[in-house]
Amino acid sequence: MTNYLDFEKPLADIEGKAEELRAMARQNEDMDIEGEASALDEKAIKMMADLYKELSPWRKCQVARHPDRPHCKDYIEALFTEYTPLAGDRNFADDHSVMGGLARLDGTPVVVIGHEKGHDTKSRIERNFGMARPEGYRKAIRLMDLAHRFNLPVITLVDTPGAYPGKGAEERGQSEAIARSTQKCLELGVPLISVIIGEGGSGGAVAFATANRVAMLEHSIYSVISPEGCASILWKDAEKMREAAEALRLTAQDLHKLGVCDEIIPEPIGGAQRAREEVIEAVGEKVSDMLKELSKLDSAALKQDRRKKYLDLGSKGLAA
């Protein structure tokens, strides 16, 4: 069953009518409705192209949060072989919102780490909707240490509304864990590649995405705060999230201009949720290309490359 976003409701009506006609034809073999149904399909394709031609920042937020988009687990299962998950931070617990371990990408040994949101009610609760606690970031630090020790590239898949803001998380040092994870990213002497596959929310995303190369899916977002949170602070009204989304410049296109994002990975018309395999394959190809580029650099050059990237951040495209 297709999940439609608010702005896709006219599309839902057309596709729904086409499906109703085909359902009637299945019940009555004498009915010939394929011509009418095909006309509706063509109308739906044109409407979808028009809807996705120039998405506003707020609509991109909605697409980035679509429940049917491929998540971290989907990418790992499709792109990586010999995946061996590693659990726990060796300090408090295992955070199921962060998954990671050893794997191979096109035969190359790597460490892969990512946020996992879950795909249904049970798994979303188990994964805490992709919002990591301190032990999740400490698990990521442990895996990055392992990668550094054995000279393995690190690939991170970012998809989080932000770090979990609960009382227990704060008591266990949430901000310190995020800062340490960000610091670890900067210190790594191995290639670090990050892909924003959905939401890149706040420090919870930065802790995984302080990388040599940052790629974003075309309709993903990356920002210091959610539009709703920004609107609540600036205007004391969360309903002004559309204005906040415009002001935050959180789209892949804006961030590419500013130099925050190095590569934009195109999505098919209708978003990643409508062609999951195609998008996953495109992400794999882009990560492989970036990995080949970075593999030519030694440890010192990788650190210097990363340092320069973040010292220069924001100097590109400010006049745009």
Side-chain angles (χ1 to χ4, degrees):
M1 180 178 178
T2 304
N3 290 300
Y4 291 94
L5 299 170
D6 290 344
F7 68 89
E8 293 178 323
K9 286 180 179 177
L11 179 64
D13 292 339
I14 295 173
E15 291 187 338
K17 288 175 182 175
E19 181 54 36
E20 283 178 18
L21 285 174
R22 291 192 169 98
M24 290 170 59
R26 285 194 292 270
Q27 293 173 1
N28 187 348
E29 296 181 358
D30 294 332
M31 292 183 65
D32 183 13
I33 51 79
E34 192 51 43
E36 190 175 347
S38 295
L40 288 172
D41 289 341
E42 291 178 11
K43 185 176 180 181
I45 290 170
K46 184 177 183 303
M47 179 175 287
M48 186 159 59
D50 290 340
L51 288 172
Y52 278 81
K53 188 176 182 180
E54 291 185 9
L55 290 176
S56 68
W58 174 243
R59 286 187 174 181
K60 280 187 178 286
C61 291
Q62 293 177 285
V63 176
R65 295 168 175 172
H66 198 290
D68 295 336
R69 282 177 80 85
H71 294 151
C72 176
K73 189 169 182 287
D74 301 312
Y75 285 94
I76 289 176
E77 289 176 350
L79 296 177
F80 297 88
T81 57
E82 298 182 39
Y83 173 63
T84 303
L86 299 175
D89 66 346
R90 300 298 186 266
N91 185 38
F92 182 76
D94 183 35
D95 184 350
H96 295 290
S97 65
V98 174
M99 61 185 300
L102 302 169
R104 289 182 184 272
L105 178 67
D106 295 332
T108 302
V110 299
V111 168
V112 59
I113 308 167
H115 301 96
E116 173 57 40
K117 286 183 171 180
H119 62 277
D120 56 21
T121 302
K122 182 180 179 182
S123 61
R124 284 171 191 148
I125 292 171
E126 179 191 356
R127 303 286 186 175
N128 202 34
F129 300 88
M131 295 184 290
R133 297 177 171 88
E135 46 272 23
Y137 295 107
R138 291 178 179 132
K139 174 164 71 173
I141 292 169
R142 185 171 75 84
L143 294 178
M144 285 189 269
D145 275 333
L146 190 69
H148 182 81
R149 189 179 314 143
F150 293 103
N151 197 32
L152 301 174
V154 178
I155 297 165
T156 63
L157 301 170
V158 177
D159 189 13
T160 179
Y164 184 61
K167 181 174 180 287
E170 295 297 335
E171 290 173 341
R172 296 194 300 278
Q174 182 72 293
S175 58
E176 185 268 349
I178 291 172
R180 292 286 183 189
S181 184
T182 306
Q183 179 186 28
K184 182 58 64 178
C185 288
L186 290 168
E187 293 174 348
L188 281 177
V190 296
L192 175 55
I193 296 168
S194 182
V195 183
I196 315 295
I197 58 175
E199 289 183 272
S202 192
V206 173
F208 283 13
T210 311
N212 293 96
R213 298 292 181 269
V214 177
M216 294 180 67
L217 285 178
E218 182 181 357
H219 301 314
S220 61
I221 58 171
Y222 189 20
S223 67
V224 69
I225 191 172
S226 70
E228 296 90 338
C230 177
S232 296
I233 292 171
L234 294 183
W235 293 289
K236 311 299 181 187
D237 182 3
E239 291 302 312
K240 288 189 176 290
M241 65 274 190
R242 293 170 181 80
E243 292 88 337
E246 292 277 354
L248 283 167
R249 300 183 73 174
L250 43 63
T251 67
Q253 293 73 24
D254 282 335
L255 294 170
H256 188 259
K257 290 178 183 177
L258 291 169
V260 176
C261 165
D262 300 295
E263 300 278 355
I264 298 176
I265 303 172
E267 295 186 34
I269 295 172
Q273 63 275 10
R274 284 185 172 262
R276 294 162 61 91
E277 292 181 2
E278 180 183 332
V279 169
I280 290 172
E281 183 179 349
V283 168
E285 290 175 357
K286 183 59 67 177
V287 170
S288 293
D289 290 344
M290 291 188 288
L291 193 55
K292 287 175 185 175
E293 174 198 352
L294 294 172
S295 64
K296 301 173 184 176
L297 305 179
D298 61 21
S299 178
L302 286 165
K303 292 179 184 179
Q304 182 59 30
D305 174 86
R306 210 175 296 130
R307 176 179 173 81
K308 185 178 186 306
K309 174 180 173 64
Y310 290 98
L311 285 176
D312 290 348
L313 210 58
S315 62
K316 180 182 177 183
L318 288 176

